[in-house]
Amino acid sequence: MRLLTTMCFGILTLSVQGKSALRAESEEAHDRRDLLQLSNNQTACDVIRDDLPDECACVEPGRWSVVVECLKEFNGEYFNDTIGMKVVIDPCDPLGSKMAVEVVEKKHEIDYKIAGVRAGEQKNFPIPGLSIIVPVLGHAGLDAAVYIGGNPDLLTLKVGLNACVVVHDKNVCASSIPGVNKILPWWILKGEYSFGHVCRGNSTVAVM
């Protein structure tokens, strides 16, 4: 009798555990469907908007492209200027996601364009005519820091302003220079983003 009771109790326990596991899996699947639905309803700007600084705005001139325009004022001891930046992101290009950047500064009539940075590329582009004061070291040239990697389903974007200077044959950038690191780097975007749902409407794009 005791054995029968124990067996029945064990079966009941397994049944309850099984139902709990199935319920948990069902809730998890439901959450995934909700998340997917939310993702599918997002525009390309929606994907990145929460990460954009207050100085930036996002527009979508085409179905699959994104344009971010920024006007950043620097009012510090080491750098006092206003810089305009325009970032054009094409996550759905059939040859691979790409990005273009334009940097504008009115005081010195600077209009510097960087075109066709493809997925897998990471570069610091020196901006002619722009520099920042670096204590003890003198001046460091201002760079447009650009990185794009991955594919539309998981695209890593990193774009903004940085400053680097060569010290004893070593390249030293703003993040490691006390005082300057409070100003730069300044990032427009720095993170991983999913544009897969945006690109799937484009029959020519290869979403891997």
Side-chain angles (χ1 to χ4, degrees):
M1 181 67 177
R2 182 179 299 173
L3 178 60
L4 181 60
T5 302
T6 302
M7 290 176 62
C8 290
F9 180 75
I11 293 170
L12 179 61
T13 302
L14 287 172
S15 176
V16 171
Q17 290 175 342
K19 288 181 179 178
S20 298
L22 287 172
R23 188 182 304 114
E25 288 177 5
S26 176
E27 290 174 354
E28 185 178 345
H30 185 268
D31 291 342
R32 283 198 300 268
R33 285 195 298 271
D34 286 349
L35 185 61
L36 181 61
Q37 182 64 38
L38 177 62
S39 175
N40 287 338
N41 289 334
Q42 285 186 317
T43 67
C45 279
D46 289 337
V47 172
I48 63 173
R49 186 172 282 116
D50 288 347
D51 281 358
L52 291 176
D54 293 338
E55 300 90 346
C56 300
C58 181
V59 295
E60 297 170 54
R63 186 173 177 183
W64 297 292
S65 62
V66 184
V67 176
V68 178
E69 294 182 312
C70 309
L71 191 64
K72 172 64 176 175
E73 292 185 14
F74 294 92
N75 297 310
E77 178 183 356
Y78 305 124
F79 190 46
N80 194 318
D81 207 338
T82 300
I83 307 295
M85 289 190 73
K86 180 179 180 179
V87 181
V88 180
I89 306 165
D90 188 352
C92 307
D93 189 289
L95 298 178
S97 302
K98 66 179 181 179
M99 179 163 48
V101 180
E102 182 177 4
V103 181
V104 177
E105 194 265 7
K106 289 185 177 180
K107 189 188 300 183
H108 300 95
E109 298 182 347
I110 293 169
D111 188 350
Y112 181 60
K113 294 180 175 68
I114 304 162
V117 182
R118 291 280 179 183
E121 294 186 66
Q122 178 170 351
K123 293 181 180 178
N124 283 340
F125 296 89
I127 304 169
L130 284 181
S131 63
I132 183 172
I133 297 172
V134 178
V136 182
L137 300 178
H139 288 78
L142 204 65
D143 298 337
V146 180
Y147 172 69
I148 181 169
N151 59 68
D153 278 331
L154 189 61
L155 194 64
T156 300
L157 298 174
K158 193 174 178 181
V159 57
L161 294 172
N162 202 358
C164 299
V165 61
V166 177
V167 181
H168 302 303
D169 297 325
K170 183 180 179 181
N171 202 40
V172 179
C173 293
S175 59
S176 58
I177 303 174
V180 178
N181 59 4
K182 295 179 181 179
I183 307 168
L184 296 170
W186 178 72
W187 298 112
I188 294 174
L189 286 171
K190 186 181 180 184
E192 294 180 336
Y193 308 93
S194 177
F195 296 94
H197 64 285
V198 176
C199 298
R200 286 186 228 286
N202 185 347
S203 59
T204 62
V205 72
V207 181
M208 296 177 286

